[in-house]
Amino acid sequence: MLWRTRLLLAVLAVTAMGGSCYAQSPAPGQDVCDPAPDGHNPCPQTFHRPREAPLSQMAQVGRMLFYDEALSGSEKLSCASCHDPANHYGPASGASVFTGGTDLHRQGRRAIPTMTYLERMPPFSIGPDLGNDDVAPRVIGVPSTGNQRGSKSATDTASSAAHIVPQGGLFWDGRVDTFQQQAGGPLFDPDEMASTPERVTARLNTAPYRAALLALAGTRGEKDPSFLREEALFAIGRYELEDRHFHEYSSKFDAWLEGKATLSPIEREGYLLFNDPQKGNCAACHLDHITRDGLPPLFTDHQYEALGAPRNMTINRNSAPGYHDLGVCDSQPDGRKAFAAYCGMFVTPTLRNIATRHVFFHNGVFHTLKEVLDFYAVRDLQPEKFYPRAPDGKISAYNDLPDPYRANLDTMDAPFDRKPGEKPALTDAEQLAIIAFLGTLTDTDAPASAPVMDQGSLSSSRP
């Protein structure tokens, strides 16, 4: 986990937010605001949730579009087919990648990411480490070969704050910046919804929400099909931004932050391991503290990592030896040269609702959190657990990343800093404790429901 941060100590965050701490002596090596022995929060805080308001007319149209299967080439897939509201807008199945296309038999290229908690994602950029901020730095020059880095931990950022990093953007590789752009990606991808501009236009002109969309698109929308399509994509983006189900902040951990819930003994242990820079060190990437602006933690720093996930041979295109998905650098023109220092890097996803997922990493190679934690703990200590053997009998470690880009791998930060012969940073029991803590990040509000596809369903009320 490179370049990661927890810029503010909990005590400073509490001071900034007007919280209070009970007078007590923390155990050696623990922060005064760590969970108390009985699991309560000794430093309850307040934070700003997204403003709740009725959906705008544009967002209501977007809600209809989000669930409209007739927009797809097969007329059987909608945005909600991949981003299932009952699964926190992630995939419903445990398949590594989604199967779509006009015949519903074409494999997608990557695992389906969640659409939740993206409302604060900054635009893609390469620049100084953002830390715990949500404001993107300007894009600056990128080294054409290995980028010098400083080690990063959950409690120390000073050594690496000056290093330039890729951050922000949507999709696994950050290739677009807005929800409007994101909505068009799967819609026109031949392996996913497999639609065409002509098909979308035809549907928009016959859909139950046509009149409402045209009222918003105006005269230009009536005369210019491409403008009407862009307005439709914008409407989907407004729905994803406005509807609270995409960012509920209703988990047990949110309640714990506010002093309204108590962690169980194993959840408390997992939290401490999550933040221990010599153990899980998870908070170095998955920031778990309220921001300096008083916003709840997103459990991501929006940045990118090359972790060396094993090649997933259930993805058909991976059977071609020359095929490699290199993430950030493949999202840019001439990226394998101009962005070589970031080849193999994919975005650090939010961990909110992670316990309800069944597919992990950009290629969906793992299907349980235990597999993921085990990979973090013993990737380089027991590589035979994750990587195949070559014909000469040697382990083909990092087999989904070509040799020229191996320098981009994180081998510096715990738990990836262990060398062969050393003990893993995490025992099996400690991994299970972290998994128990991750279970506290699951939102508890009821999922959204699909709208009735008729004109009368457009109103000023919330869904």
Side-chain angles (χ1 to χ4, degrees), residues 55-357:
L55 292 182
S56 67
Q57 188 78 353
M58 182 67 83
Q60 291 182 60
V61 173
R63 182 169 177 249
M64 290 286 195
L65 288 154
F66 189 87
Y67 288 92
D68 191 353
E69 295 178 346
L71 290 167
S72 68
S74 66
E75 297 189 353
K76 295 180 180 179
L77 297 176
S78 69
C79 301
S81 299
C82 289
H83 303 287
D84 180 10
N87 288 274
H88 305 286
Y89 295 97
S93 78
S96 294
V97 295
F98 190 79
T99 303
T102 55
D103 60 359
L104 303 183
H105 287 93
R106 296 184 60 147
Q107 277 191 337
R109 188 160 63 103
R110 294 174 179 157
I112 300 169
T114 178
M115 282 302 297
T116 56
Y117 298 103
L118 298 176
E119 77 278 11
R120 286 156 51 193
M121 179 69 77
F124 181 82
S125 64
I126 296 176
D129 188 341
L130 278 176
N132 211 16
D133 288 335
D134 293 328
V135 180
R138 65 186 180 90
V139 176
I140 61 178
V142 182
S144 60
T145 58
N147 182 29
Q148 184 181 1
R149 306 184 182 101
S151 181
K152 203 71 168 288
S153 80
T155 57
D156 175 25
T157 65
S159 63
S160 61
H163 293 280
I164 58 174
V165 298
Q167 52 208 320
L170 300 171
F171 294 114
W172 281 102
D173 55 16
R175 65 184 182 272
V176 302
D177 291 329
T178 69
F179 287 157
Q180 179 176 351
Q181 294 168 321
Q182 186 279 331
L187 181 61
F188 298 117
D189 190 317
D191 296 329
E192 298 186 42
M193 293 179 72
S195 193
T196 63
E198 294 75 21
R199 179 181 292 275
V200 171
T201 297
R203 174 56 179 167
L204 295 180
N205 284 324
T206 59
Y209 47 80
R210 175 180 180 274
L213 178 61
L214 286 174
L216 295 165
T219 302
R220 184 176 174 187
E222 294 181 359
K223 297 180 178 180
D224 185 344
S226 64
F227 182 79
L228 186 65
R229 290 192 298 269
E230 288 301 313
E231 287 293 279
L233 297 177
F234 178 74
I236 295 175
R238 288 308 308 177
Y239 169 57
E240 294 167 347
L241 183 64
E242 292 183 25
D243 193 277
R244 66 177 179 83
H245 291 297
F246 288 94
H247 32 251
E248 292 177 359
Y249 300 101
S250 64
S251 70
K252 179 178 181 179
F253 183 75
D254 293 305
W256 180 84
L257 283 174
E258 296 174 309
K260 300 175 182 178
T262 299
L263 300 182
S264 70
I266 192 171
E267 290 167 350
R268 176 181 182 273
E269 179 187 1
Y271 172 90
L272 296 175
L273 291 165
F274 187 93
N275 283 280
D276 188 333
Q278 300 304 317
K279 286 290 191 176
N281 198 34
C282 313
C285 297
H286 301 283
L287 309 182
D288 63 347
H289 280 58
I290 293 172
T291 72
R292 67 181 72 201
D293 296 326
L295 300 174
L298 292 175
F299 284 84
T300 176
D301 56 5
H302 312 301
Q303 296 178 15
Y304 291 74
E305 290 292 347
L307 301 180
R311 193 173 181 87
N312 187 350
M313 296 309 297
T314 68
I315 300 176
N316 295 335
R317 67 194 73 205
N318 280 340
S319 62
Y323 172 80
H324 290 94
D325 183 359
L326 296 182
V328 171
C329 74
D330 279 349
S331 70
Q332 308 293 328
D334 195 26
R336 295 194 180 191
K337 180 179 179 180
F339 288 81
Y342 307 118
C343 283
M345 294 187 179
F346 297 87
V347 75
T348 298
T350 176
L351 293 185
R352 286 181 174 272
N353 300 308
I354 196 71
T356 65
R357 290 184 65 87

